Structure formats: C-alpha cells, structure tokens
Amino acid sequence: MSRPRKAEDPIRLPVPCNRCGQHHQTVARWPDGGVCGYCYQQAKRTRGICAFGHEGVLPGIIDEQPTCRRCSGIRLNVDCVSCGAEDELDSGGRCWTCALGNVVDDLLTDPATGAIAKDLIPLGATLKSMKRANSGMTWIRQKHVTAFLRNLAVAPKITHEIFDQLPDSRTREYVRGLLTEHGVLPQRDELRMRYNNWAA
Ligand SMILES: [Zn+2]
Ligand SMILES: [Zn+2]
Ligand SMILES: [Zn+2]
C-alpha cells in the first residue's frame, strides 16, 4: 500500500534519495545515505526477520537484504510506549494494536458510569483483536461506526430489539453478528426478521 507520489523536484532537490533514486525531500540521513519520506515510511513498515535473526521492524538495507536497527545502525523509534512491541507507531507513540484498543475502550465506555457494560466486553475484545489493527482503525474511525458504537455504549440493555431501534446499517448488522457469535445476543433468523419487517 504505497501512497501516490508527488512529482519529483530535481531543481530544488538536486540530491536524489539513496534508496529510490528519486528527487524528493530527504527526511533522514541513515548509514546507507539520505532517505526520502516515501522510503522512510516504507522502511518503518518493513517487518520480518533480519539476517542475524532479529524479528521486528527492518528499516535497514544491507546487501539488498532488510536489516534490523541494530544491524543497520539506524536510529528509529518503533517501540510502542504502551506494550513495548516493535511496530509502526501512531502520533501518540503507540502501536496500531494499542491505539485500536484505546479507541475501542473509549467508544464503548458509558460516560455515565465510566465503565464498559458487561455485555459489551466480549465485543470490545473482538474489536481489539482484529488481525489488521490498522485496517481496524480505519474502520472504527468512520463517523457512522463511531456514532453507532457510542450509541451502543449507552444502550440500557443489549438486545435484538435495541439493535432494531438503531438506524439500519451494515455496521449495525456486523456488530449484531459479532455479538451473536459471542453469545451476547441469541441466534435469530435475520432473513425472516427482515421479511417480517418488510411484510409488516
Ligand atoms: Zn526514496
Ligand atoms: Zn539484525
Ligand atoms: Zn503497543
């Protein structure tokens, strides 16, 4: 997933990036040379196991092989302030998983009690453990998803009827499905419900 690049500017930026060879703003001087913003982002997102067995973020390149910070001598902050994991960090210095966890807790907390309703705890756990936490963040930050979860956080009870009263949306049905999977909501024949609603 790479962002579309801006046009190169060889007049203002005569020295090309050491990695991609294009004329973009240099954002870091690493032992292998000046690195542009695009290559910097890509380096931060490169994960794997380096030639010397270190597993984590591999921002360096030695003999065309990705290498860890220690092997490459690159200084880069990729240590999550919450869990210590080595990962791409958000502006608060947290990895995607911790950042997502924070957002989930925040959205599902009932402001009146300062706590998450017991019925919503399994939902919180499921949302937090999404495999791709950065996609999870993109999903959860959408206005309609945020609004939906805030509504749910203050719902008096978690029942199908409460769900039915919330605005009909894919988010609603997705969350309903998750809660059913976790046994918070009983199984219900959604197709028949829809038919009944339509027939009514
Ligand atoms: Zn570059
Ligand atoms: Zn290494
Ligand atoms: Zn973390």
Side-chain angles (χ1 to χ4, degrees):
M1 246 199 327
S2 55
R3 289 177 291 168
R5 292 184 171 216
K6 276 197 246 171
E8 292 181 66
D9 191 350
I11 295 176
R12 202 169 59 83
L13 306 164
V15 182
C17 165
N18 188 57
R19 292 201 172 180
C20 66
Q22 293 190 1
H23 298 265
H24 298 293
Q25 190 74 51
T26 300
V27 298
R29 301 228 158 260
W30 283 344
D32 58 307
V35 177
C36 77
Y38 299 107
C39 292
Y40 184 86
Q41 281 301 328
Q42 197 189 333
K44 275 206 298 191
R45 290 177 180 163
T46 304
R47 303 187 56 90
I49 303 174
C50 83
F52 296 90
H54 174 93
E55 186 173 358
V57 177
L58 307 178
I61 296 179
I62 297 178
D63 295 335
E64 296 181 15
Q65 294 299 312
T67 49
C68 74
R69 286 176 291 176
R70 192 189 295 176
C71 290
S72 60
I74 289 176
R75 297 165 70 97
L76 183 67
N77 179 23
V78 287
D79 303 301
C80 170
V81 294
S82 293
C83 72
E86 207 172 283
D87 210 335
E88 197 187 346
L89 307 179
D90 74 353
S91 54
R94 279 180 298 242
C95 71
W96 286 113
T97 305
C98 289
L100 177 65
N102 260 38
V103 173
V104 170
D105 282 342
D106 177 52
L107 290 176
L108 292 182
T109 296
D110 179 348
T113 62
I116 300 177
K118 203 173 100 269
D119 281 352
L120 292 177
I121 290 173
L123 173 67
T126 308
L127 296 178
K128 286 180 195 182
S129 62
M130 279 193 246
K131 269 231 164 56
R132 292 172 48 86
N134 56 347
S135 313
M137 279 293 264
T138 310
W139 174 76
I140 211 162
R141 275 180 169 156
Q142 298 174 95
K143 264 210 179 79
H144 64 276
V145 177
T146 302
F148 178 82
L149 293 176
R150 283 204 192 285
N151 271 332
L152 198 61
V154 297
K157 270 196 304 195
I158 308 303
T159 62
H160 279 297
E161 290 68 33
I162 292 282
F163 265 72
D164 294 340
Q165 286 161 24
L166 295 168
D168 190 2
S169 66
R170 271 174 59 192
T171 307
R172 184 183 80 176
E173 295 317 312
Y174 172 66
V175 174
R176 191 202 297 270
L178 284 176
L179 289 172
T180 308
E181 228 170 81
H182 286 85
V184 175
L185 287 174
Q187 293 280 352
R188 192 175 79 163
D189 188 340
E190 290 305 325
L191 222 76
R192 203 175 61 204
M193 286 305 297
R194 280 179 179 266
Y195 174 77
N196 290 348
N197 287 344
W198 171 81

